[in-house]
Every structure is written in structure tokens, then in C-alpha cells.
């Protein structure tokens, strides 16, 4: 275990030079206070958990102090935002402080979000508010605990520095960890600025640092694209199976590693609604829940376009066509686990579709349905769940088919329960829960956010005494409007 000052840096991205990022120092925020820390994320850096108790910890993660080996830089990238190409984005309010190598030899980017203005800030103030920093922190660590690939979060620091959004709020910083911060938009930037030598250099960096196995393939860049397609198919399958809506699937928010990245107005579904739009600013529903599948493919096509100087177009197209079948296979696999099935059957897809339609028309709570389905025998569970449906005839027909289908996977209820509870979380980061702890934190009370984070770090465990966190939202919590403002 290490102390904060012991970290070992090896800043590979910084060494790519000024065409890829610009040196910028963090602008500290005033009177820093540690809001919440993730012990699980600390272990990624081999950090001794007690380190978080020191004065210095909050100072470092509020931009007041830096390691001598850190080389803070703002990365340049572009991207398609809501379908339109924006030629220059970049880190407008976050800095890559450096890359830490842990004892296992893994590299972790330290990215300080809310660190002040950079050459890429455009009209922005370079800051992040407490509310959005807490939301990203909770989601990063919760998705990871659910088994959904994600960037990670080490801590949030609050301050007395005022920032203006729709009203006056206060600045915060989030320390994000990821094995890479390279986005689809990084490749797009060098493609559209016609700097194809730099595009190649970026590709070589990604290959050697993140996809070394692809280097042994006859066409390394094509192998890399295939890897990105596969990882994204698996990622989106997880989002759809667990009811996660990202909200801003712009190509600059898509990670080359296929992890959930750049959290904004995200939401987990409460009542099942395939058309749910979690981003209040998304007027057309481009990023609605069910659109996430075609949009991921659209973003992969944008990445493929940016790789055309490196890989023949036909080969990219052929690889892109793997996305949907790969997605579908992963999705079915996850849904079978959620429904308690070990085997696969040709009729499964139809049964899943019918269930979702029934849930949609009766506004059934998406997460709690699956948890309850595994809690007792199929007969008992279905008898109880029946109360939540309006179309009883439809539900009864489905339940009959579900019972028959489940019988084929063995009748041992203890095994079925253990298996289903390991796939169906009891605790989900619902928007109203996030809102409650944000309200408290804005008043200076960090107890609730710490408790919620602890509960959501073990989402599959029963956790007696904390059942209130598994409840459906109250009426006010169903209609929270979360916008891009952060
Ligand atoms: P996001 O919506 O957080 O994915 O950000 C989209 C782009 O806007 C990125 O280039 C961000 O760095 C930039 N950005 C967002 N908020 C701010 C801000 N408050 N100040 C400066 N740049 C920002
Ligand atoms: Mg972004």
C-alpha cells in the first residue's frame, strides 16, 4: 500500500507532444472539502485507504498541489454532437494530470474534471458543479459494481468557489480514473484536419498501449477497429439489459476502450419505457433509451470514417456490420441470466420482447421486477408480480410460457434464487436517490452521499437496514428534469 506521494508516473500520452494536448495548470478551488471517496478506486492506485483522511488529499484533488512527476495537459479532440460535426472540442474543463502505473503494472489516467479553463474552454468557465460531480462519481462506481464497463471515480472535492449555471452554484472537482481518455473524437479530429501522419501516430499509441494483441494481426488498425466494435457491442448490451440511459452519446463521449464515459444527464429506468429520454435538452429523442443501439453503431461508423486513411473502406464496413449481431448475442445472454435461464432457446427473444411490451404498457418498475422474479419460486413470484400489470390476459399468457421455459432449466429454487440475485441488482442508482444526496451535500451534509455510495457499491447484496434505497421513486422523483448543464 502506498501513500499519496508515492505514486509512480509514466506519462505516455503527454509524450505524444503538443499536437495532441496542451500543458495547462489546474486552477485551484477555494476551501476544499472532501465530499466522498471510493475505497475500491483507491486500490486501483494501491493507495492506503487512510490517505483520504489527510488534509493533503483534499488539497491535491482540488488543484492546490501537484506531484512533481505530473504533467497536466488538456487533450484536443472533436466529435459529432447530436449528429453535427463540431471541428474542435477538447478538454475544456478537465486535465489529464498524468498516468500512474500501479504495482500490477496497470496504467491509470488521473483526470481532474472541473480544473479550470483551457485553450479548449470556448465560452465555458472550465468548472464543474457539485451536483454533476456527485452524479458522475456515484454512477462510475455503481456501474462498475454492476459489472458494466465504466471509467472510475476516486473522489469529489467541494469548495466555496461560486459558479453560475441557471442559478449560483459552487465549484467541485472529480478525480476520474480510466485506462485511457482517448475518445472516438480524437481520431475524428486528426482525420478532419487532414493530419493523417498524426492520425497514424495516435493509432500507434492506442495499439501499443491498449490493444497490443492487435499488433500481431496482419492488419493491426483493422483489428483495433474490430476490438472497439466488439467492446461497444458488449457495453451497449449491458446498458440495454440494465436499463441505463447515457443521455449524450456524442462521438466525443465514446471511449476507445468501450467503457461508459463522460456522465451527464444519465438515468436508470424506473418504470420500463423503451422511449425514455433522460436528457431534458434532447428535444428529438436522438439519445432515447432504445435509440442507444443504432446510435452506438452510428458513432462506430463515424470512427470508421476517421480510420479510412489507415484501413480500406470495405474492410471497415464489413467489421462495422458485426456490431448488431454481436450486440444481440450479448443482450440475449444478459437477459437470459436476468430471467434465470441457463440454456438458450430460439423462442427466448420473443419472450423477452413480450415481457418488455407488457412492462411498458403497465409502467412496471424495471429493476425491481427481475429482483422479485428470482426471490421466490416462479409460481409465487408470478402471482405477486401479476398485481403490477394492467393487461392481465397478456401477463397470464406470458407467465404460462415463462413457467414452461424456466422448468427446462431445473427446479431447484435455492440455486435459481442465487443465480438470479447475482444478475439482478437490489439497489440501482435512481435519479431521485441521487437528487436527495445532492440536496444534502449542497447544504454541506456529506453523510447521505457517502452512505448511498456504499450501498450502491454492493448492488446485488441484500444489505438489511438499507431497503429504503430499493424503493420505487416517489411522485416528485419520477419527473426530474436533468439537462446538459453541469
Ligand atoms: P460534455 O457535455 O461535458 O461532454 O462537454 C462537451 C464539451 O464542452 C467538451 O469539450 C467539454 O470540455 C466542454 N465543456 C463542458 N462544460 C464546460 C465548461 N463549464 N467550461 C469549459 N468547457 C466545458
Ligand atoms: Mg464530453
Amino acid at each position: 500500500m502506498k501513500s499519496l506521494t508515492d505514486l509512480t508516473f509514466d506519462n505516455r500520452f503527454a509524450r505524444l507532444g503538443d499536437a495532441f494536448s496542451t500543458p495547462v495548470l489546474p486552477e485551484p478551488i477555494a476551501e476544499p472539502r472532501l465530499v466522498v471517496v471510493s475505497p475500491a478506486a483507491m486500490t486501483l492506485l494501491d493507495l492506503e485507504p487512510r490517505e483520504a483522511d489527510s488534509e493533503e488529499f483534499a488539497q491535491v484533488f482540488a488543484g492546490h498541489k501537484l506531484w512533481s512527476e505530473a504533467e497536466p495537459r488538456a487533450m484536443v479532440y472533436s466529435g459529432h454532437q447530436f449528429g453535427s460535426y463540431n471541428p474542435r472540442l477538447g478538454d475544456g474543463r478537465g486535465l489529464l494530470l498524468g498516468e500512474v502505473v500501479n504495482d500490477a503494472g496497470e496504467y491509470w489516467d488521473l483526470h481532474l474534471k472541473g480544473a479550470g479553463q483551457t485553450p479548449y474552454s470556448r465560452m465555458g468557465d472550465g468548472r464543474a458543479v457539485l451536483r454533476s460531480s456527485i452524479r458522475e462519481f456515484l454512477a462510475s462506481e455503481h456501474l462498475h459494481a454492476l459489472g458494466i464497463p465504466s471509467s472510475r471515480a476516486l473522489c469529489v472535492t467541494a469548495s466555496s468557489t461560486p459558479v453560475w449555471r441557471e442559478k449560483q452554484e459552487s465549484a467541485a472537482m472529480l478525480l476520474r480514473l480510466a485506462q485511457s481518455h482517448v475518445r472516438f473524437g480524437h481520431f475524428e479530429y486528426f482525420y478532419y484536419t487532414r493530419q493523417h501522419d498524426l492520425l497514424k501516430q495516435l493509432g500507434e499509441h492506442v495499439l501499443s498501449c491498449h490493444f497490443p494483441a492487435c499488433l500481431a494481426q496482419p492488419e493491426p488498425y483493422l483489428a483495433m477497429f474490430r476490438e472497439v466494435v466488439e467492446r461497444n457491442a458488449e457495453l451497449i448490451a449491458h446498458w440495454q439489459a440494465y436499463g441505463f440511459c447515457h443521455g449524450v452519446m456524442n462521438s466525443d463521449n465514446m471511449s476507445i476502450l468501450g467503457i461508459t464515459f463522460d456522465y451527464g444527464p444519465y438515468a436508470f429506468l424506473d418504470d420500463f419505457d423503451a422511449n425514455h429520454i433522460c436528457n431534458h435538452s434532447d428535444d428529438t429523442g436522438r439519445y432515447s433509451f432504445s435509440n442507444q443501439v443504432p446510435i452506438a453503431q452510428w458513432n462506430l461508423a463515424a470512427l470508421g470514417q476517421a480510420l479510412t486513411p489507415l484501413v480500406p473502406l470495405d474492410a471497415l464496413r464489413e467489421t462495422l456490420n458485426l456490431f448488431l449481431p454481436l450486440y444481440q448475442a450479448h443482450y440475449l445472454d444478459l437477459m437470459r441470466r436476468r430471467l434465470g435461464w441457463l440454456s438458450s432457446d430460439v423462442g427466448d427473444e420473443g419472450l423477452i420482447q413480450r415481457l418488455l411490451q407488457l412492462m411498458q404498457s403497465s409502467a412496471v418498475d424495471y429493476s425491481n421486477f427481475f429482483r422479485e422474479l428470482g426471490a421466490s419460486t416462479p409460481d409465487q413470484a408470478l402471482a405477486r408480480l401479476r398485481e403490477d400489470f394492467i393487461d392481465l390476459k397478456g401477463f397470464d399468457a406470458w407467465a404460462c410460457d415463462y413457467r414452461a421455459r424456466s422448468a427446462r432449466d431445473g427446479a431447484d429454487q435455492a440455486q435459481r434464487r442465487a443465480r438470479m440475485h447475482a444478475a439482478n441488482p437490489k439497489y440501482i442508482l435512481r435519479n431521485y436517490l441521487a437528487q436527495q444526496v445532492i440536496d444534502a451535500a449542497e447544504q454541506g451534509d456529506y453523510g447521505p452521499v457517502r452512505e448511498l455510495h456504499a450501498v450502491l457499491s454492493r448492488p446485488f447484496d441484500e444489505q438489511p437496514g438499507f431497503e429504503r434505497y430499493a424503493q420505487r421513486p416517489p411522485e416528485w422523483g419520477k419527473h426530474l428534469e436533468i439537462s446538459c448543464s453541469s
Side-chain angles (χ1 to χ4, degrees):
M1 283 292 155
K2 290 179 178 166
S3 71
L4 195 55
T5 48
D6 277 349
L7 299 180
T8 307
F9 285 80
D10 179 16
N11 304 323
R12 302 176 300 184
F13 195 88
R15 286 201 293 275
L16 288 173
D18 292 350
F20 295 86
S21 62
T22 309
V24 181
L25 286 175
E27 279 173 54
I29 47 178
E31 301 181 82
R33 312 178 272 276
L34 186 63
V35 175
V36 59
V37 62
S38 164
M42 284 185 82
T43 65
L44 299 174
L45 305 179
D46 308 311
L47 280 175
E48 168 69 47
R50 278 197 308 269
E51 285 293 289
D53 304 333
S54 72
E55 245 331 84
E56 198 178 18
F57 195 87
Q59 294 279 327
V60 166
F61 296 115
H64 289 266
K65 285 188 178 177
L66 264 184
W67 298 265
S68 57
E69 306 99 308
E71 294 175 77
R73 300 181 78 100
M75 298 166 117
V76 61
Y77 52 83
S78 60
H80 282 85
Q81 298 181 304
F82 288 89
S84 309
Y85 185 65
N86 188 329
R88 206 167 105 124
L89 292 162
D91 290 331
R93 55 161 167 178
L95 296 174
L96 178 61
L97 299 180
E99 294 168 61
V100 167
V101 194
N102 69 14
D103 288 343
E106 288 168 356
Y107 279 70
W108 287 97
D109 284 0
L110 303 191
H111 178 99
L112 192 60
K113 193 162 174 179
Q117 286 176 318
T118 78
Y120 313 106
S121 296
R122 295 172 293 158
M123 306 299 280
D125 58 8
R127 292 305 188 194
V129 295
L130 181 59
R131 147 178 74 77
S132 67
S133 306
I134 288 177
R135 280 176 54 86
E136 175 155 356
F137 175 90
L138 289 172
S140 311
E141 293 305 283
H142 179 54
L143 264 77
H144 172 72
L146 287 170
I148 306 178
S150 176
S151 58
R152 304 292 302 275
L154 187 77
C155 63
V156 174
T157 351
S159 77
S160 59
T161 301
V163 287
W164 287 93
R165 295 295 181 260
E166 282 87 2
K167 58 181 170 89
Q168 187 179 323
E169 299 189 47
S170 60
M173 288 191 194
L174 170 91
L175 195 286
R176 177 163 71 194
L177 298 172
Q179 300 211 277
S180 170
H181 274 71
V182 174
R183 308 147 187 260
F184 291 9
H186 276 87
F187 286 92
E188 293 183 279
Y189 176 76
F190 294 109
Y191 170 73
Y192 286 105
T193 53
R194 296 175 204 278
Q195 302 182 82
H196 295 176
D197 47 338
L198 296 176
L199 178 76
K200 191 153 183 272
Q201 205 187 333
L202 177 69
E204 280 164 6
H205 168 85
V206 171
L207 276 172
S208 65
C209 296
H210 306 295
F211 303 117
C214 296
L215 284 168
Q217 298 288 318
E219 294 246 31
Y221 293 113
L222 178 61
M224 174 179 86
F225 184 60
R226 187 183 165 123
E227 183 78 29
V228 180
V229 168
E230 286 176 6
R231 287 181 183 219
N232 275 281
E234 193 168 349
L235 175 70
I236 305 302
H238 275 89
W239 289 2
Q240 303 310 111
Y242 283 93
F244 178 77
C245 255
H246 182 283
V248 200
M249 285 177 73
N250 294 336
S251 62
D252 52 297
N253 291 338
M254 300 291 292
S255 155
I256 202 76
L257 298 183
I259 57 177
T260 314
F261 197 69
D262 254 12
Y263 291 88
Y266 68 80
F268 277 93
L269 298 180
D270 290 306
D271 297 348
F272 182 78
D273 177 9
N275 307 316
H276 185 66
I277 303 166
C278 64
N279 181 351
H280 188 57
S281 320
D282 181 7
D283 301 325
T284 61
R286 178 179 170 88
Y287 299 139
S288 73
F289 179 64
S290 58
N291 273 356
Q292 296 190 123
V293 183
I295 286 291
Q297 191 176 13
W298 194 94
N299 284 327
L300 285 162
L303 174 65
Q305 180 66 42
L307 295 178
T308 49
L310 305 176
V311 187
L313 185 64
D314 285 351
L316 288 166
R317 242 190 224 131
E318 212 175 287
T319 304
L320 182 63
N321 286 338
L322 298 173
F323 174 78
L324 270 184
L326 283 170
Y327 160 77
Q328 191 62 12
H330 281 301
Y331 176 74
L332 281 177
D333 190 44
L334 289 168
M335 293 305 283
R336 283 189 185 108
R337 273 190 251 169
R338 299 208 71 177
L339 287 161
W341 302 334
L342 290 166
S343 57
S344 58
D345 190 294
V346 281
D348 291 349
E349 192 178 342
L351 263 181
I352 292 164
Q353 277 312 318
R354 271 167 64 202
L355 172 64
L356 295 181
Q357 275 156 16
L358 287 162
M359 287 175 119
Q360 170 109 24
S361 61
S362 296
V364 170
D365 188 86
Y366 186 62
S367 301
N368 289 357
F369 175 87
F370 292 98
R371 185 75 180 186
E372 277 196 56
L373 188 63
S376 40
T377 63
D379 281 346
Q380 288 166 332
L382 291 165
R384 205 325 274 137
L385 287 164
R386 187 176 191 270
E387 294 164 19
D388 298 343
F389 287 81
I390 295 164
D391 174 7
L392 291 180
K393 212 171 137 209
F395 179 79
D396 289 342
W398 181 83
C400 179
D401 293 344
Y402 174 76
R403 240 184 254 111
R405 169 68 182 84
S406 301
R408 268 175 271 157
D409 278 322
D412 185 319
Q413 175 52 22
Q415 279 176 12
R416 178 176 172 273
R417 180 190 157 99
R419 188 165 82 221
M420 288 183 71
H421 277 11
N424 296 321
K426 170 149 182 160
Y427 301 100
I428 274 287
L429 175 51
R430 297 172 185 273
N431 262 344
Y432 85 93
L433 294 172
Q435 194 55 47
Q436 284 174 336
V437 304
I438 287 166
D439 290 343
E442 286 179 340
Q443 301 304 312
D445 180 5
Y446 306 143
V449 61
R450 292 174 186 180
E451 182 169 286
L452 180 61
H453 163 59
V455 170
L456 294 176
S457 302
R458 296 164 48 211
F460 299 102
D461 295 352
E462 284 294 330
Q463 306 189 53
F466 294 93
E467 286 86 358
R468 69 182 186 85
Y469 290 108
Q471 278 167 13
R472 299 179 72 170
E475 208 43 45
W476 66 264
K478 283 188 175 175
H479 312 290
L480 291 169
E481 287 179 351
I482 314 280
S483 71
C484 273
S485 146
S486 60

